[in-house]
Amino acid sequence: GAVVSQHPSWVICKSGTSVKIECRSLDFQATTMFWYRQFPKQSLMLMATSNEGSKATYEQGVEKDKFLINHASLTLSTLTVTSAHPEDSSFYICSARGRQTGELFFGEGSRLTVL
Amino acid sequence: GQQLNQSPQSMFIQEGEDVSMNCTSSSIFNTWLWYKQDPGEGPVLLIALYKAGELTSNGRLTAQFGITRKDSFLNISASIPSDVGIYFCAGQLPGSGYALNFGKGTSLLVTP
């Protein structure tokens, strides 16, 4: 079946640095990708919706200048956490909607720890 | 986004017991989905519901899309230890463009 892959799975960085997380649809084209954030023992919260070739749509309260999203192709979206701080430590999960079937698939998640 | 009210928050049961959890919302949803998430991994789709009143099974799992389109339940029959995990309901609001609103999750523990 279709697979969505995220990289890296784990990342530890120093406060003030920027971190890029990739989300790839491996065997299908994704017109839309979604980025979620999940704090420990909490639910997934939608951060932004990313459409290929256009600017991402951010949810209320999510800083677009801090969480840069690029959806450069139908199989790749990236989330860059700029000038990361400890409060940005979280589990970031992407999902991708298949262009053909419309099905939604989730990545394995990327755990970010900012020291 | 719209928060779904999921209950119970956690369940601690013995192997072989049946489990039921549900989600409610004040808003109407087009689609209800149930996911399971293991620690450190992304959610995995269990059942998707697309029509009000729809009752769908996937092995020992059964889920229903409420008639009012504001609620859904998930039942797990004859639970086994590998059912342990966190179960999330998720819904798609009309016009949301396939973005999902998640419930807060039900943590399930199954003892042998």
Side-chain angles (χ1 to χ4, degrees), chain A residues 56-108:
Chain A
T57 303
Y58 290 81
E59 294 298 300
Q60 192 173 10
V62 178
E63 300 175 57
K64 63 176 73 175
D65 293 330
K66 178 156 186 72
F67 298 100
L68 301 178
I69 292 173
N70 185 295
H71 193 157
S73 76
L74 285 171
T75 59
L76 174 65
S77 176
T78 60
L79 167 67
T80 301
V81 183
T82 62
S83 187
H85 290 286
E87 58 265 30
D88 297 324
S89 299
S90 186
F91 195 49
Y92 292 87
I93 306 172
C94 72
S95 69
R97 177 174 174 263
R99 185 181 193 183
Q100 300 298 328
T101 67
E103 284 187 76
L104 198 63
F105 301 94
F106 279 86
E108 317 98 319

Side-chain angles (χ1 to χ4, degrees), chain B residues 58-79:
Chain B
N58 178 7
R60 293 178 295 106
L61 278 61
T62 302
Q64 184 160 32
F65 192 144
I67 291 292
T68 65
R69 295 171 63 192
K70 295 182 179 181
D71 63 296
S72 176
F73 72 75
L74 173 71
N75 287 342
I76 304 173
S77 62
S79 59

Side-chain angles (χ1 to χ4, degrees), chain B residues 13-82:
Chain B
I13 63 172
Q14 280 195 318
E15 182 177 4
E17 290 185 17
D18 297 342
V19 172
S20 184
M21 58 193 79
N22 69 85
C23 271
T24 62
S25 173
S26 58
S27 298
I28 290 175
F29 285 85
N30 280 345
T31 304
W32 282 93
L33 305 155
W34 286 91
Y35 289 87
K36 183 186 179 204
Q37 186 180 29
D38 291 326
E41 298 184 15
V44 174
L45 181 66
L46 299 174
I47 293 180
L49 303 159
Y50 301 104
K51 294 181 182 178
E54 180 181 354
L55 183 69
T56 298
S57 292
N58 178 7
R60 293 178 295 106
L61 278 61
T62 302
Q64 184 160 32
F65 192 144
I67 291 292
T68 65
R69 295 171 63 192
K70 295 182 179 181
D71 63 296
S72 176
F73 72 75
L74 173 71
N75 287 342
I76 304 173
S77 62
S79 59
I80 58 178
S82 61

